[in-house]
Amino acid sequence: MITFHEKDKIFHLNNGRISYLFYIMESGQLGHLYFGKALRVEGSYLHMAEKAHRPMTTYIREGDLYTSYEHLRQEYPCFGTSDYRYPALEVQGGDGSCICKLEYQGYEIIKGKKSLDGLPATYTEEDGEAETLEIRMKDAWRNLEAVFSYSIFRDVDAIARSVRFFNCGEEDLFINRAMSMSVDMPDADYQSIQLSGAWARERFIKVRELETGVTSVSSMRGNSSHQHNPFLALKRKDATEHRGDVYGFSLLYSGNFLAQAEVDNYQVLRMMIGINPFGFRWKLEPQNVFVAPEAVMVYSKEGLNGMSRQFHRLYRTRLARGYWRDRERPVLINNWEATQFHYVEADLLQFARKAKECGIELFVLDDGWFGRRNDDKRGLGDWKANREKLPEGIEGLAKKVGQLGMKFGLWFEPEMVNKDSDFFRDHPDYILQTPGRSISHGRNQYVLDFSRKEVVDAIYRQMHKLLSEAEISYIKWDMNRSISECYSAAYPSDRQGEIFHRYILGVYDLHERLIQDFPKLLIESCSSGGGRFDAGMLYYAPQGWVSDDSDAIERLKIQYGTSLCYPLSCMGAHVSACPNEQVGRMTPIETRGDVAYTGAFGYELDLNKLNAEEIETVKKQVVFYKKNRTLFSKGDFYRLLSPFEGNFAGWEVAEPDGSRALVTVVRILSETNGPYRRLPLYGLLEHQEYHVQGRYHSYDAYGDELMQYGLMLEDKSSGQVVDGSGGCMDFLSVMYEITAKSND
Ligand code: DGJ
């Protein structure tokens, strides 16, 4: 998949569907040529390196009025050498100079893909799945070596990149900026698509026209954030959900990030993603290494859906890992929205008993079980059961839940502490704070200094003890505030720019240790809902709580946006009570189920409060989900109707072999006597006859009809209420089952 053309000094990464091409410039730096649909391997592409004499330009050598880094498309631009756009790298030496010039030293092609020490990374399992090109670069003057790593996958249209830096000299160096990838694309005729929002409305799709200058999203909160996601797509203006050129860029990182598209005055587009340089400064001592997190670049000629399917495949099968990667996830019930902090063991067992009766497999005890945690002002850090609530501790409760025939799961917020806790009283110096300065709180809590190993160790010991003593098969790992006043008293002044990154390394380390100790533990990540829902977390936690907003109608946009980059298997989605806790909305329980199926499914309410009819519906939902959960989590996902664009939301999950598909359509507000509607489907077999089963009607049709003419949508309110039941017609959903008929 990787070739080097000696004559032209061109590297060509090609998997038959995508090509990525760059070359070694005369000056030794790397120039970018092309990324997109596959080009023939044998071609010469050097002429793509366009350059012209331009006024008001700084040239790199005397007598040459053509060669300026300002006008050359580059692979990994460094600061200070005639390029005035934002660089990928800025390194400062003891002399204060930030100029850097990395020159080519050599390359190696490796079968498969290396892991990144202490950081999440995609991986391979079998021979031939990926090849990796490692390019060695050096700034001889600074004695700085860099290794640029590019992996191309055989079965996914993605390239994974990362960079490692080695200080081979005698003096300390400071990395002020080290992006994970950068690419200079020849034109800027794209729209950028970002996933932005806030608490309870995470990852809404926002489209911006690129203009000369910088378009970016970032986080400086210590977590990847509710506000912006470490993901950015570039879409041709005429590209749609299903057709046209789309590029996606995603960072496998859970802390401060920057994703940036810069258009220069010649309409060249520089796209980069990596750790946010703001507040970042890494001291690289002699003989030490710094590794920038991995970034994944996807190209699709099948529009945004095509891009998403590539990310889904890669992230579900070669980023998520371990025991739960391919296993059916348990249907869970979580007590948070039902009880908040107020319960005793008897309430929980009653809660679990009813859940068991409905076929639910895992009972998750949320916040409030430890220390003196009766509200959000105290207890964080004391990971010991509150015996007033749970007389026989977590061990006793887990055992009783086990005797009901259910698995038991537990909530933690490992990175946080309340000042009113024994842990803080014993270790007041364990939080991130600047000595002598006031410190801000979030939800009455403070952030533990996870840049320090002894702090991580202290939390690890408590968690390890509980997980060893009690039958706990799942943990929900929460993180309910962003970091402020980031400063670690354990590090010297010239290392304070490392703390945000070291913090995340500490979080990854604790995850890794627990996974190694308890390989069958299922971890669901959470951060006040979806405040740290990113590709980095997926490496440790194969599912994440998408949002604290559990209303089915709000979830349409949240889950639709999330699906741009993240697979359904990782989206925690629950049926909650009505009126909904966050928006007070009443929605039919069928709609709540239909929306929550599209993820790691569960319930977030007290089933004892439902009437007999609703309980029957819950039982049916659980049976339906169990029957279809493999399809929901491993099927090919197609977005069909965008809730950002109209009154409907629709999506399809199809078996990769086209034998079966489930299509969900939600009409948000009722309309009377609306038009006839058809919805073209995807991923079916043209010449196969299917049985279409809707909520009210069924019919037979061939795949070509369903994909061309479309699925005929049912409308319960076309002027008259068909079944005479009356009631509110808003927020109705229909799930269509499309099943291949046997050819006998
Ligand atoms: C925020 C989470 O998103 C909720 O689901 C719940 O676990 C609370 N924290 C508990 O404090």
Side-chain angles (χ1 to χ4, degrees), residues 336 341 366-367 373 411 443 476 478 480 526-529 545 548 604:
W336 175 248
F341 300 102
D366 210 282
D367 198 352
R373 183 83 168 166
W411 180 95
R443 206 195 190 200
K476 177 172 172 186
D478 210 343
N480 283 302
C526 175
S527 172
S528 274
W545 183 225
D548 271 350
E604 183 105 11

Side-chain angles (χ1 to χ4, degrees), residues 40 448 611 644 685:
R40 65 194 68 244
L448 287 171
N611 63 33
F644 293 97
L685 304 170

Side-chain angles (χ1 to χ4, degrees), residues 79-370:
F79 176 77
T81 57
S82 81
D83 184 349
Y84 299 95
R85 295 164 291 183
Y86 280 94
L89 179 68
E90 187 194 288
V91 179
Q92 191 169 24
D95 57 1
S97 160
C98 292
I99 300 163
C100 180
K101 205 168 165 190
L102 289 174
E103 287 170 9
Y104 175 81
Q105 306 295 306
Y107 78 95
E108 193 184 350
I109 295 171
I110 301 161
K111 297 216 175 310
K113 188 170 179 296
K114 289 183 181 167
S115 56
L116 295 187
D117 199 19
L119 283 165
T122 53
Y123 57 90
T124 57
E125 273 191 346
E126 289 158 22
D127 284 352
E129 276 185 14
E131 274 181 17
T132 300
L133 170 64
E134 290 205 337
I135 309 265
R136 274 183 300 107
M137 306 287 291
K138 185 164 188 175
D139 181 326
W141 198 66
R142 278 267 176 254
N143 259 320
L144 174 71
E145 274 192 16
V147 176
F148 301 164
S149 166
Y150 298 78
S151 300
I152 182 160
F153 297 87
R154 182 190 60 202
D155 305 324
V156 188
D157 297 341
I159 287 173
R161 287 178 62 175
S162 62
V163 192
R164 309 194 290 277
F165 298 95
F166 305 85
N167 184 347
C168 314
E170 307 277 291
E171 65 159 19
D172 294 341
L173 298 175
F174 290 89
I175 301 179
N176 294 336
R177 180 183 181 100
M179 303 309 282
S180 295
M181 59 81 38
S182 175
V183 61
D184 286 352
M185 307 187 39
D187 74 84
D189 199 17
Y190 296 95
Q191 292 168 323
S192 77
I193 300 187
Q194 66 199 54
L195 298 175
S196 299
W199 175 82
R201 53 180 169 83
E202 296 91 338
R203 292 173 298 285
F204 277 25
I205 298 174
K206 307 270 178 200
V207 182
R208 286 200 261 177
E209 298 294 329
L210 289 186
E211 251 308 335
T212 309
V214 167
T215 303
S216 71
V217 287
S218 63
S219 168
M220 301 192 300
R221 295 172 163 262
N223 51 328
S224 49
S225 89
H226 298 86
Q227 284 70 16
H228 300 293
N229 196 260
F231 163 84
L232 203 77
L234 299 173
K235 149 186 179 305
R236 284 289 184 204
K237 289 177 185 157
D238 61 356
T240 65
E241 271 290 352
H242 302 281
R243 270 182 292 277
D245 284 2
V246 175
Y247 296 86
F249 303 90
S250 160
L251 186 66
L252 280 59
Y253 191 60
S254 310
N256 290 348
F257 74 91
L258 171 70
Q260 172 172 304
E262 181 181 8
V263 181
D264 75 9
N265 304 76
Y266 302 93
Q267 297 304 297
V268 173
L269 167 58
R270 172 167 293 174
M271 175 66 215
M272 53 175 65
I273 196 164
I275 292 178
N276 195 338
F278 186 88
F280 174 81
R281 190 165 193 254
W282 191 274
K283 181 176 176 180
L284 191 62
E285 289 177 338
Q287 307 315 310
N288 272 269
V289 182
F290 176 77
V291 184
E294 182 168 309
V296 170
M297 319 164 57
V298 158
Y299 164 75
S300 159
K301 60 183 172 55
E302 291 174 357
L304 287 164
N305 261 277
M307 172 199 71
S308 301
R309 283 197 302 283
Q310 301 303 324
F311 275 124
H312 291 186
R313 195 171 309 149
L314 183 65
Y315 285 179
R316 184 172 57 74
T317 64
R318 292 296 181 265
L319 174 59
R321 59 188 171 137
Y323 182 81
W324 286 102
R325 186 190 70 184
D326 299 329
R327 282 195 164 70
E328 292 183 337
R329 306 291 164 73
V331 179
L332 69 80
I333 186 153
N334 177 302
N335 70 312
W336 175 248
E337 286 196 15
T339 64
Q340 303 248 326
F341 300 102
H342 314 296
Y343 50 79
V344 289
E345 190 189 78
D347 307 328
L348 300 174
L349 289 172
Q350 203 185 354
F351 195 89
R353 242 175 254 121
K354 193 72 181 174
K356 172 66 187 166
E357 190 189 312
C358 293
I360 294 170
E361 298 157 308
L362 167 69
F363 167 70
V364 178
L365 175 57
D366 210 282
D367 198 352
W369 57 268
F370 50 89

